[in-house]
Amino acid sequence: MKTLLILSVNGRPREDAVAGNALLIDYLRDTLGLTGTKQGCDGGECGACTVLIDGEPRLACCTLAHSVAGRSIETIEGLSHEGKLSRLQRAFHEHLGSQCGFCTPGMIMAAEALLRRTPQPSRDAIRAALAGNLCRCTGYVKIIDSVEAAACASEVPA
């Protein structure tokens, strides 16, 4: 049975009829068409589905959609503004933090939460913040370099 789900996604208010057992990842991908949030392990082990809920990273594959009613959800699509990449998206592109790209949205969302809390994190803090996100390409050095570069960059490119 579907019931009304009221929340904010990427700054826009939403009201949608959603099944009580629907997962947040299915709501985002199937109902809203926000396919940037990836479905990896489907068990909360890889972090590919990381989104921000009220600014905190959370796994969309382990979260019931109705459990976030009334809250603010941010996905990778919400980070760019007016077609311009965010500082993290730019840094991942420029510093080769994206390899095959599958884990990248989850990595960037976890890093975004970190940079909001700690604008100039240490490499150890970056590693700790991304510990729940797995890269199957095993290229963590470039990912950490990308987050470090984003921390030093302004939000809007010159």
Side-chain angles (χ1 to χ4, degrees):
M1 179 173 135
K2 291 184 175 183
T3 57
L4 193 61
L5 173 62
I6 300 172
L7 72 166
S8 169
V9 178
N10 295 331
R12 295 188 178 146
R14 300 279 322 180
E15 291 185 19
D16 296 296
V18 177
N21 63 351
L23 292 170
L24 181 58
I25 192 167
D26 296 327
Y27 169 70
L28 293 171
R29 290 180 59 85
D30 300 340
T31 302
L32 303 184
L34 297 173
T35 56
T37 303
K38 302 300 182 200
Q39 188 165 15
C41 66
D42 206 21
E45 295 176 14
C46 74
C49 65
T50 302
V51 297
L52 301 184
I53 299 175
D54 293 335
E56 293 298 319
R58 199 146 138 200
L59 302 174
C61 77
C62 299
T63 302
L64 289 173
H66 278 283
S67 73
V68 297
R71 300 177 80 179
S72 175
I73 314 305
E74 293 173 79
T75 69
I76 190 73
E77 290 91 345
L79 293 185
S80 62
H81 295 283
E82 299 177 1
K84 294 181 180 171
L85 299 178
S86 73
R87 64 182 170 164
L88 270 165
Q89 291 168 320
R90 263 193 336 272
F92 268 70
H93 174 71
E94 293 170 358
H95 296 271
L96 307 176
S98 296
Q99 292 156 62
C100 81
F102 194 83
C103 70
T104 305
M107 293 277 187
I108 288 176
M109 296 310 290
E112 177 69 22
L114 170 66
L115 295 183
R116 288 180 187 176
R117 281 190 319 267
T118 309
Q120 298 293 318
S122 67
R123 288 182 75 84
D124 285 343
I126 295 169
R127 282 187 199 96
L130 301 181
N133 295 76
L134 301 178
C135 172
R136 291 179 176 91
C137 302
T138 67
Y140 293 98
V141 171
K142 299 271 186 204
I143 291 168
I144 292 167
D145 289 349
S146 298
V147 176
E148 202 168 40
C152 296
S154 64
E155 187 57 47
V156 179

